[in-house]
Amino acid sequence: MVVRNVFVAHLIQWAGMALAIALMTGCAASGERGVLNFGIATPETKRLTWPSKMDSEVPRYIFAGELTGEENFRVPQEKKTGVGAFLQWLAGLFDSEAAPVILQRPQSGVVGGDGRIFVTDASRQAVYVFDPQEGRLIVWENAKTAIHFVSPAGIALGMAGDVYVADSELGIVARLNPKGEGVGIIGMGELRHPVGLAFDTATQQLYVADTHDHDIKVFSADGRLLRTLGRRGEKPGEFNYPTYLVLARGELYVTDTMNARVQVLDIESGEPKRVIGERGMNVGNLVRPKGVAVDDEGNVYVVESYYDHLLVFNKNGEFLLPIGGMGREAGNFYLPSGVWIDGRNRIFVADMFNGRVALFQFLGGDAE
């Protein structure tokens, strides 16, 4: 009995020490900054290229990883030996970390000049901010004080670090400051179902794809409705459930989803200039296009959600190649949504039902 009591006393003593160590290490860890990585660790994923290396053509794109959530931030761990290693192990026995925050149904995104990656998530009803400077994932949940996001979709960057977020269910565009605090509401009573956003820094105007009104509404930076482009129809300049937008080289690219095309409009006049893609059942045709983006060489990227492809067109609208296909493996998609590009020609695809953002690197080269 005495021996057992002594053992229990020692166990309690060790448990108290371990808890103290756990608390101290936890506090230290919370102050450490993680390093943003994209999780490409296997030889198989590093070999993924488009066109494939098996083809005779030179690869133009490589798979560069994916974003899934908090797990993309790794805190460098100092390797301990001897007593330090034992105490760290003992503290780990009492460490009950919460499950990591992960993407659920990512919709669209954008990359800021400071390297922050913003991703809207309709299932989580929030905006995820992958912040490499802070070394952590931040979640913004409110469109404004006491107004929680319901279905955030499109997102765009404004002036002075402002972030615009379209909420389809609330029928508004929220303007947030760089800290994620709501500083304005745009379109209340004027928008029915906003999805895609694009901000013109030259004119400080915000373009909003109002999907259920079948038009594009243009607002001033402070929220005044300036003009409306298009109406429902199939003719040039008309739309049938437009979804996503991008501005590039003085032109507005509109994914005209139910017309199975991308329309390109002149920014100043709003007049249609050309069409990219056509309806069909072959690879390279469009059925349910969603996200659209343009790189610095003029190549156009269109998410074909029905067939789970990212389609690449040249600046003249000629189809070049597909990326992806249905699946859960790296480089494939399951009902993808938005696509966006950063200043390094990295292409991000919101792989919605796989709960991740896939990343590809454009290697450059003649796209003609």
Side-chain angles (χ1 to χ4, degrees):
M1 180 66 70
V2 173
V3 173
R4 186 170 65 179
N5 289 341
V6 171
F7 173 76
V8 171
H10 281 297
L11 183 61
I12 293 174
Q13 183 179 8
W14 277 104
M17 183 183 300
L19 284 172
I21 295 170
L23 289 173
M24 287 188 293
T25 57
C27 292
S30 64
E32 292 181 306
R33 294 184 178 182
V35 177
L36 178 60
N37 73 91
F38 295 93
I40 51 170
T42 67
E44 290 76 12
T45 57
K46 291 180 179 180
R47 286 199 296 264
L48 288 174
T49 65
W50 293 266
S52 169
K53 292 180 180 178
M54 302 280 296
D55 300 330
S56 58
E57 299 182 61
V58 176
R60 302 299 185 191
Y61 301 88
I62 60 171
F63 179 75
E66 61 186 25
L67 293 172
T68 57
E70 279 186 326
E71 295 174 333
N72 287 102
F73 289 95
R74 296 176 183 170
V75 177
Q77 297 291 330
E78 180 182 354
K79 187 174 181 180
K80 294 181 174 60
T81 59
V83 175
F86 172 72
L87 292 177
Q88 189 178 58
W89 168 81
L90 188 61
L93 295 178
F94 296 87
D95 188 12
S96 55
E97 293 184 358
V101 177
I102 61 173
L103 289 169
Q104 297 179 18
R105 293 289 184 265
Q107 303 291 303
S108 188
V110 67
V111 181
D114 57 2
R116 291 192 296 175
I117 304 169
F118 303 86
V119 182
T120 59
D121 192 307
S123 179
R124 179 61 176 79
Q125 300 178 314
V127 176
Y128 288 64
V129 185
F130 293 82
D131 192 330
Q133 295 183 4
E134 289 289 330
R136 62 192 180 104
L137 175 63
I138 304 167
V139 179
W140 294 349
E141 297 182 327
N142 291 328
K144 200 173 182 181
T145 304
I147 301 179
H148 197 292
F149 285 119
V150 177
S151 184
I155 187 168
L157 301 179
M159 305 299 292
D162 281 351
V163 181
Y164 294 93
V165 181
D167 193 299
S168 300
E169 292 301 315
L170 293 177
I172 62 170
V173 175
R175 182 164 67 94
L176 311 178
N177 66 20
K179 297 180 180 180
E181 300 164 338
V183 293
I185 295 294
I186 294 173
M188 183 171 287
E190 298 169 312
L191 294 168
R192 287 184 60 195
H193 194 86
V195 176
L197 299 179
F199 188 84
D200 187 352
T201 56
T203 62
Q204 297 188 32
Q205 294 179 356
L206 178 70
Y207 292 75
V208 183
D210 197 352
T211 301
H212 288 182
D213 263 355
H214 312 283
D215 59 25
I216 310 301
K217 293 183 170 70
V218 186
F219 294 87
S220 64
D222 59 3
R224 291 178 293 110
L225 180 60
L226 302 176
R227 56 182 172 145
T228 300
L229 307 178
R231 61 182 181 180
R232 189 169 193 178
E234 299 179 353
K235 297 178 182 178
E238 297 179 340
F239 306 106
N240 192 10
Y241 291 96
T243 51
Y244 288 99
L245 308 172
V246 69
L247 286 165
R249 301 183 177 190
E251 297 177 325
L252 176 68
Y253 293 71
V254 182
T255 304
D256 191 5
T257 298
M258 296 305 288
N259 280 332
R261 64 189 181 186
V262 173
Q263 292 202 64
V264 185
L265 312 181
D266 180 80
I267 292 179
E268 292 185 2
S269 67
E271 293 297 316
K273 298 180 66 175
R274 63 187 182 280
V275 170
I276 296 174
E278 59 183 4
R279 191 187 303 274
M281 303 300 290
N282 298 320
V283 175
N285 293 146
L286 300 178
V287 180
R288 292 291 184 272
K290 292 288 184 68
V292 60
V294 181
D295 67 25
D296 63 10
E297 293 190 12
N299 297 309
V300 182
Y301 302 83
V302 181
V303 170
E304 173 42 61
S305 63
Y306 191 85
Y307 285 114
D308 304 290
H309 276 113
L310 177 65
L311 304 179
V312 186
F313 300 83
N314 67 15
K315 59 187 177 183
N316 299 318
E318 300 166 333
F319 175 62
L320 298 179
L321 78 159
I323 295 175
M326 184 176 181
R328 298 190 179 278
E329 302 82 9
N332 288 339
F333 310 115
Y334 184 15
L335 201 63
S337 181
V339 58
W340 62 100
I341 298 175
D342 69 3
R344 297 158 57 184
N345 273 340
R346 297 187 302 179
I347 303 151
F348 299 77
V349 179
D351 188 6
M352 187 166 61
F353 271 65
N354 278 328
R356 64 192 180 191
V357 172
L359 177 63
F360 305 88
Q361 177 67 62
F362 176 46
L363 302 177
D366 188 4
E368 299 296 336

